[in-house]
Each structure stands twice: as structure tokens, then as C-alpha cells.
């Protein structure tokens, strides 16, 4: 192993990123120092939040640096180690994706068992994605049995799990929005009580799907979806604000929601959250999700793109909504 390829940020996009936003760079495979390991990445994650990191603005995570490798969740096999507690051959989860070989401190890697589940699952249902769905629905929104739940971008990695977890935890009715008829059919197959294509009109479709209103809204989209949810929500409804992908590439302020005054009379709670704030529920998450996977009551979808050189295309496809479930790159 002498050659390493990685994806660098070539420029900061204005509006939608393009292939020219990225650059494929060839480097040497790094050599570990004391306490370090080298990981041959097998899978890496592309996620909507990465779009915000391409802007040079202050946020909850630092922006990506220009002319340097991007980073993000990845999983792979240790191929060189100068750390006593992680041996060569160990499968580890870490935060240096967007490259074939990653050099990192052993303390920054989490060993996982590849025999429990396919390694890609640690980047989706058994990882941050699954915990986001679980904590957002149950801790942030506080869903109670019998309530009606609406999930936007419901065929995506997080949304598809939110809807299923809601049903497993006793929701009375679960509704999802998606971007194509095929995705709508997939949501119905996953157990959603109702699903609609948002191109048919969000407000009208949601009103038809939830004639008795919505108690919990899990927001991955923002914009017109959030506006429609506010109009449909019942008294004391709660919204967990996970993402607003409809606005990530916008160059002008969003027109919606235009009905925020309804928050007052309906006594609504709109609460943003970050998954790292909810590690206290990780044990319950692992217990519940691993049990559901074993008995086959929870399903998860993956869209896999092959090759580190195609990571930018995978990311752009994610922003367009090309994926079903989690978008991953098989490095």
C-alpha cells in the first residue's frame, strides 16, 4: 500500500455544489506514529449537514478547509497500528472519511464487531443515523402512544427509521412525505399508514392524510413542509427539527414558514437538536434497535455508490434526493 486517494474541497459553492467543488488528490499512505493507527476505509457516509460545512461560516461544527480533505463518518479495517489497544485487523468506526486510508489517534476510533451486522450498518441504523431517529422522536419530540406522527423526507436514512420506530413505540398513525411514487410505495411497505409525494402539494396532501391533525412532526426538510406541519398540528404539538435540506443550497431566504403566529395559539413546541446531545439514551437505543433487527420488525435501506472518486457524485445525489435510505460510498 503506497498510494492513497482523497477528496479535497476545491472551492466554496454558491448555491448548489457541482463536481468542480471537489478535487480528487493522490497522496502517500500515511505512517502511524506512537498511539496512532492507519485505517483502510471500507465505507464512508455522505450526509446533508456536510453542505453547511462547505460554507465559511460559524456553526456547531467547523467548516471544511479549502484544499484539504473533507471528513465524515467512515468504517474500515486497521492495516497498521502503533497503539497497544487496537491491533491490525480490527474493524473501527471513526470520523475521517473522504479518503481511502485514514491516519488517526487510536482514541478517536471505536472498534465494532463485524460479525453482529454488515459493517455498513454502523454508518446507518446502528450508528448516528439510527440514534438521531430514536432520540429525536422519543426524547426531543416526546412521542406518546396513540399520537399521529408526520415525517418529512421519510424515505431517507433518518426519516425511514423514524416512521418505523414510531409504529413500534405505539403511534396511532404515521404519515410520511417523499419525492417520488416509488419512494411513497416504499414507505407503505415499511408500515407507514399514509404517504404522499410532496410534488403533489404538501399542505393539501398532509391535510388529507391527517384529517384529525398531527401531534408530532419530525422535520428533515423545513420550508413548505414546516409550514404545512404547523398548520396541521394539534394543540400542544411538538416538532423535532433535525434538518432543513430544502434550504441548504438556497441563495435567498426561504419564503416559508409564513404561519409562525400559529405557534402561539396552538402552544406548539419547535425544538432543534443535535444527536451528540443525546448519548444518554444510547444504551436504550442499542437495546431496542438490535432487538428489532433480530426479530425482523425494523428494516433499513442503503444506496451504495462504488469508488472514492465517485464520492462527490454520491453527495450531490443525496442533495437531489436520489437515495433510498442511507447514502454510502463503498471506498
Amino acid at each position: 500500500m503506497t498510494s492513497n486517494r482523497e477528496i479535497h474541497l476545491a472551492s466554496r459553492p454558491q448555491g448548489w455544489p457541482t463536481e468542480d467543488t471537489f478535487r480528487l488528490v493522490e497522496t502517500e499512505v500515511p505512517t502511524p506514529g506512537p498511539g496512532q493507527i492507519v485505517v483502510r476505509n471500507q465505507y464512508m457516509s455522505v450526509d446533508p449537514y456536510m453542505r453547511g460545512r462547505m460554507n465559511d461560516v460559524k456553526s456547531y461544527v467547523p467548516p471544511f478547509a479549502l484544499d484539504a480533505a473533507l471528513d465524515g463518518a467512515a468504517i474500515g479495517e486497521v492495516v497498521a497500528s502503533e497503539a497497544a489497544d487496537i491491533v491490525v485487523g480490527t474493524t473501527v468506526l471513526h470520523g475521517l472519511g473522504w479518503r481511502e486510508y485514514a491516519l488517526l489517534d487510536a482514541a478517536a476510533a471505536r472498534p465494532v464487531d463485524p460479525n453482529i451486522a454488515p459493517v455498513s450498518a454502523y454508518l446507518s441504523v446502528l450508528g448516528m443515523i439510527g440514534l438521531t431517529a430514536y432520540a429525536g422522536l422519543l426524547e426531543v419530540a416526546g412521542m406518546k402512544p396513540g399520537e399521529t406522527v408526520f415525517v418529512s423526507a421519510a424515505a431517507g436514512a433518518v426519516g425511514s427509521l423514524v416512521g418505523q420506530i414510531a409504529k413500534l413505540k405505539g403511534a396511532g398513525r404515521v404519515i410520511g412525505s417523499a419525492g417520488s411514487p416509488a419512494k411513497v410505495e416504499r414507505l407503505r411497505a415499511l408500515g407507514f399508514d399514509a404517504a404522499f409525494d410532496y410534488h403533489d402539494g404538501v399542505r393539501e396532501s398532509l391535510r388529507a392524510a391527517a384529517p384529525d391533525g398531527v401531534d408530532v412532526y419530525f422535520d428533515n426538510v423545513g420550508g413548505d413542509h414546516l409550514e404545512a406541519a404547523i398548520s396541521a398540528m394539534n394543540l400542544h404539538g411538538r416538532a423535532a427539527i433535525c434538518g432543513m435540506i430544502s434550504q441548504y443550497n438556497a441563495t435567498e431566504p426561504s419564503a416559508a414558514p409564513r404561519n409562525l403566529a400559529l405557534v402561539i395559539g396552538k402552544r406548539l413546541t419547535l425544538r432543534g437538536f443535535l444527536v451528540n446531545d443525546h448519548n444518554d439514551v444510547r444504551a436504550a437505543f442499542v437495546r431496542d434497535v438490535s432487538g428489532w433487527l433480530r426479530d425482523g420488525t425494523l428494516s433499513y435501506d442503503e444506496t451504495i455508490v462504488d469508488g472514492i472518486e465517485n464520492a462527490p457524485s454520491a453527495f450531490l445525489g443525496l442533495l437531489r434526493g436520489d437515495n433510498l435510505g442511507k447514502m454510502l460510498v463503498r471506498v
Side-chain angles (χ1 to χ4, degrees), residues 48-213:
Y49 82 90
M50 294 174 174
R51 175 60 187 86
R53 295 188 65 192
M54 294 176 185
N55 300 328
D56 189 13
V57 296
K58 185 178 181 180
S59 184
Y60 61 90
V61 284
F64 291 128
L66 281 173
D67 300 314
L70 291 83
D71 59 71
I75 193 165
E77 181 181 347
V78 176
V79 295
S81 176
E82 292 295 332
D85 52 345
I86 298 185
V87 300
V88 170
T90 304
T91 300
V92 296
L93 189 67
H94 62 92
L96 291 181
W98 295 88
R99 66 203 79 192
E100 291 176 319
Y101 291 90
L103 171 68
L104 62 149
D105 293 336
R110 179 162 68 89
V112 299
D113 187 348
N115 297 311
I116 291 178
V119 293
S120 60
Y122 289 100
L123 294 175
S124 57
V125 64
L126 291 176
M128 179 186 71
I129 296 300
L131 183 58
T132 298
Y134 187 93
L137 177 70
L138 303 178
E139 295 293 308
V140 178
M143 189 211 84
K144 303 178 185 67
E147 291 190 317
T148 295
V149 177
F150 171 44
V151 187
S152 58
V158 173
S160 59
L161 296 177
V162 171
Q164 293 181 82
I165 292 170
K167 293 295 290 184
L168 289 164
K169 288 292 187 177
R173 185 168 177 79
V174 177
I175 301 153
S177 71
S180 72
K183 289 183 177 182
V184 168
E185 287 305 309
R186 179 57 181 159
L187 295 182
R188 292 179 177 138
L190 290 175
F192 282 69
D193 297 289
F196 61 85
D197 186 334
Y198 67 80
H199 296 103
D200 295 331
V202 182
R203 185 187 292 262
E204 300 79 7
S205 298
L206 181 58
R207 186 183 299 118
D212 296 322

Side-chain angles (χ1 to χ4, degrees), residues 1-2 4 6 27-32 37-39 80 101-104:
M1 53 177 188
T2 58
N4 178 35
E6 52 191 34
T27 65
E28 293 185 354
V29 174
T31 301
I37 59 175
V38 174
V39 180
Y101 291 90
L103 171 68
L104 62 149

Side-chain angles (χ1 to χ4, degrees), residues 45-48 123-125 128-130 132-133 152-164 218 220 299-303 318 323-328:
S45 176
V46 291
D47 300 285
L123 294 175
S124 57
V125 64
M128 179 186 71
I129 296 300
T132 298
S152 58
V158 173
S160 59
L161 296 177
V162 171
Q164 293 181 82
F218 196 103
N220 293 303
S299 300
Y300 65 98
D301 293 313
E302 295 176 340
T303 299
L318 171 75
N323 57 302
L324 184 65
K326 184 74 187 80
M327 179 72 90
L328 296 170

Side-chain angles (χ1 to χ4, degrees), residues 4 23 48-49 84 125 154 173 198 240 246 248 287 294 305 317:
N4 178 35
R23 181 181 299 117
Y49 82 90
V125 64
R173 185 168 177 79
Y198 67 80
S246 68
Y248 292 164
R287 181 196 66 230
R294 279 195 303 270
V305 174

Side-chain angles (χ1 to χ4, degrees), residues 240-305:
I241 312 298
C242 178
M244 294 191 175
I245 196 169
S246 68
Q247 300 175 31
Y248 292 164
N249 298 303
T251 56
E252 298 293 335
S254 173
R258 297 160 294 186
N259 57 351
L260 281 175
L262 292 177
V263 171
I264 302 168
K266 291 188 175 187
R267 282 83 94 194
L268 304 181
T269 299
L270 278 61
R271 182 180 171 191
F273 74 101
L274 299 177
V275 64
N276 289 337
D277 294 336
H278 298 279
N279 284 316
D280 58 316
V281 301
R282 183 177 291 278
F285 157 72
V286 171
R287 181 196 66 230
D288 284 350
V289 170
S290 59
W292 293 330
L293 289 173
R294 279 195 303 270
D295 64 24
T297 54
L298 183 69
S299 300
Y300 65 98
D301 293 313
E302 295 176 340
T303 299
I304 296 177
V305 174

